[in-house]
Amino acid sequence: MMGVDVILGLQWGDEGKGKIVDLLSSQYDIIARFQGGPNAGHTIIIGDKKFVLHQIPSGITRSGVMNVIGNAVVLDPTILLKEITALEAEGIEVRSRLLVSRKSNLILPGHRLIDAWQEESNANGGVGSTKKGIGPTYQDKTGRFGLRIGDLHAANFDQLYNKAKERHLRLLRAVGFADEIDDAAWLIAADEVRRTLTTVDSEIYINEALNAGKRILAEGAQGTLLDIDFGTYPFVTSSNTVTASACTGLGISPKKIGKVYGVFKAYSTRVGEGPFPTELLDETGEMIRKKGHEFGSTTGRPRRCGWLDMDALKYAIMLNGVDELFMMKIDVLSGMDSLSIGEAYNNNSFAGLSFNKDVTVNYTQMQGWQEEIRGTTDYNKLPDAAKTYISQIEKLAGLPISLISTGPEREEGIRK
Ligand code: GDP
Ligand code: IMO
Ligand code: MG
């Protein structure tokens, strides 16, 4: 029996997971998201159309592929319906090709307000969250206060919802952040989700599909360095973002994980607060941000840019059990005289970064290249300096890079 393959980000998110999942989805029957929520923004570009998916798996544009939102995803009905409407407006059939876990927790209007309060009051140290209510929804999940998609179908849903709303209001009033919760649009959206979407016990669906020989790809959100346990805590997201999370996020045994594909950019970016040892606060960082359009897909915030960090990447490879690497956005690095790769931290390692942020990085200098390589599909056409950069990363990582992406569009890339 085949296993569930996993694609996830090895850095601080926005590695280009959406593009890769869309590309590979033609080889799968089912694409399943297993954690996170609308804090994610996965960009897919097909011809002149651009889609930014927040909660819907990135297989949605392929007819014949079923898309599953797993139990550990937190779901906001208003955002979900906006995504569905935008896809339908482009003639993409969504509702018959989307299954939502009954066990997925609902992001309530109060959660978004509490997230905003946590951010704006610096209550948890100013993480720089996306303010989508992710943290508070997972807090309520582990606190056993959560409402789930399946509850939308309960006869007493109104009662359950009002109880949760009252609890959120008591908190928001106590801290003086809000007196009321405006939930009219959310309630309409929640009702439409209840009426028009198919909810399932997705763990049963996935395991039965696996037993029937279906090919399944699990799509991660965020990135390993934002993992709640292993990231730069407290500057992290509220879910586990590593391979193991695909097991609890979809209800599959660890024995049923197939290949693990790790996606990383040819450099580093981070949006939000927190340590970033290889950050470039100079014109080189500015150049990468401009050329790479490094502005958040979800919030529009400028992304912090820096050199590739091999200490962090090797840690991510270890945690996830990566089999193959996919390298993104190497086209952005054209036009530099030299490039640096952060090889190791002198007095620390990524694993210790949340306790000791004061690190210096040992860099290897590499020669740059001037040629534009956007859209290149032939490895032999890459400038020698780009080939050397790629092989140096493979050597340091101890893993092959099997796909080199050279542009945002589906066809722009090299398979090695
Ligand atoms: P995700 O969250 O991991 O899916 O990544 P995002 O969609 O947030 O950010 C990646 C951005 O880079 C998107 O705007 C993509 O269209 C773009 N992109 C993906 N691959 C490449 C590439 O190889 N080269 C360039 N220049 N852009 C890319
Ligand atoms: P994708 O899936 C980049 C960051 C936020 C913030 C921290 C916590 O597109 O790669 P949260 O709203 O989750 O409580 O915010 O995590 N963050 C992301 N950064 N890409 C993402 O998703 C992110 N999702 C959350 O900026 O620093
Ligand atoms: Mg993104």
Side-chain angles (χ1 to χ4, degrees), residues 295-308:
F295 295 88
S297 316
T298 297
T299 58
R301 291 177 291 176
R303 294 175 183 149
R304 300 156 64 191
C305 298
W307 297 124
L308 185 63

Side-chain angles (χ1 to χ4, degrees), residues 13-17 39-43 52-53 222 296-298 303:
D14 302 328
E15 295 89 351
K17 299 175 291 293
N39 47 351
H42 295 183
T43 313
V52 181
L53 301 172
Q222 290 78 57
S297 316
T298 297
R303 294 175 183 149

Side-chain angles (χ1 to χ4, degrees), residues 266 307 327 330 333-341 363-371 373 382-393:
W307 297 124
M327 179 159 98
I330 190 163
L333 296 180
S334 291
M336 295 193 182
D337 293 331
S338 71
L339 299 169
S340 299
I341 299 178
Y363 288 101
T364 308
Q365 288 278 106
M366 308 283 297
Q367 214 191 323
W369 60 92
Q370 300 307 314
E371 299 89 328
I373 54 175
L382 288 177
D384 285 342
K387 288 186 196 153
T388 310
Y389 186 68
I390 294 164
S391 52
Q392 177 69 8
I393 295 165

Side-chain angles (χ1 to χ4, degrees), residues 176-377:
F177 190 75
D179 282 331
E180 284 309 323
I181 293 176
D182 178 3
D183 56 5
W186 188 93
L187 287 169
I188 291 170
D191 188 54
E192 190 173 336
V193 164
R194 181 180 62 76
R195 284 184 294 103
T196 68
L197 296 187
T198 309
T199 56
V200 294
D201 291 315
S202 58
E203 65 280 24
I204 304 278
Y205 177 83
I206 295 271
N207 279 285
E208 286 182 354
L210 202 54
N211 290 338
K214 300 278 188 212
R215 297 156 305 171
I216 306 173
L217 179 65
E219 172 180 4
Q222 290 78 57
T224 304
L225 311 184
L226 287 168
D227 182 276
I228 181 77
D229 285 285
F230 304 110
T232 47
Y233 192 91
F235 303 99
V236 292
T237 192
S238 298
S239 63
N240 283 112
T241 57
V242 292
T243 304
S245 192
C247 295
T248 51
L250 294 174
I252 49 174
S253 158
K255 294 178 199 160
K256 292 184 178 167
I257 295 291
K259 289 270 184 224
V260 179
Y261 302 110
V263 187
F264 72 105
K265 278 185 219 189
Y267 47 92
S268 302
T269 64
R270 163 160 219 180
V271 56
E273 301 305 312
F276 183 175
T278 61
E279 184 167 15
L280 285 162
L281 297 164
D282 56 9
E283 61 274 20
T284 309
E286 190 56 41
M287 188 225 131
I288 294 175
R289 179 158 41 247
K290 270 217 189 96
K291 192 146 193 237
H293 304 289
E294 294 296 355
F295 295 88
S297 316
T298 297
T299 58
R301 291 177 291 176
R303 294 175 183 149
R304 300 156 64 191
C305 298
W307 297 124
L308 185 63
D309 182 338
M310 288 308 301
D311 195 298
L313 195 69
K314 283 195 276 190
Y315 184 61
I317 289 169
M318 174 190 84
L319 291 173
N320 291 306
V322 174
D323 293 298
E324 286 176 33
L325 291 168
F326 299 158
M327 179 159 98
M328 314 301 286
K329 298 189 98 160
I330 190 163
D331 53 300
V332 173
L333 296 180
S334 291
M336 295 193 182
D337 293 331
S338 71
L339 299 169
S340 299
I341 299 178
E343 266 210 37
Y345 304 161
N346 284 318
N347 43 347
N348 200 348
S349 64
F350 187 89
L353 199 55
S354 51
F355 299 106
N356 173 15
K357 298 176 187 57
D358 191 20
V359 300
T360 55
V361 182
N362 236 333
Y363 288 101
T364 308
Q365 288 278 106
M366 308 283 297
Q367 214 191 323
W369 60 92
Q370 300 307 314
E371 299 89 328
E372 292 299 334
I373 54 175
R374 163 102 197 247
T376 306
T377 53

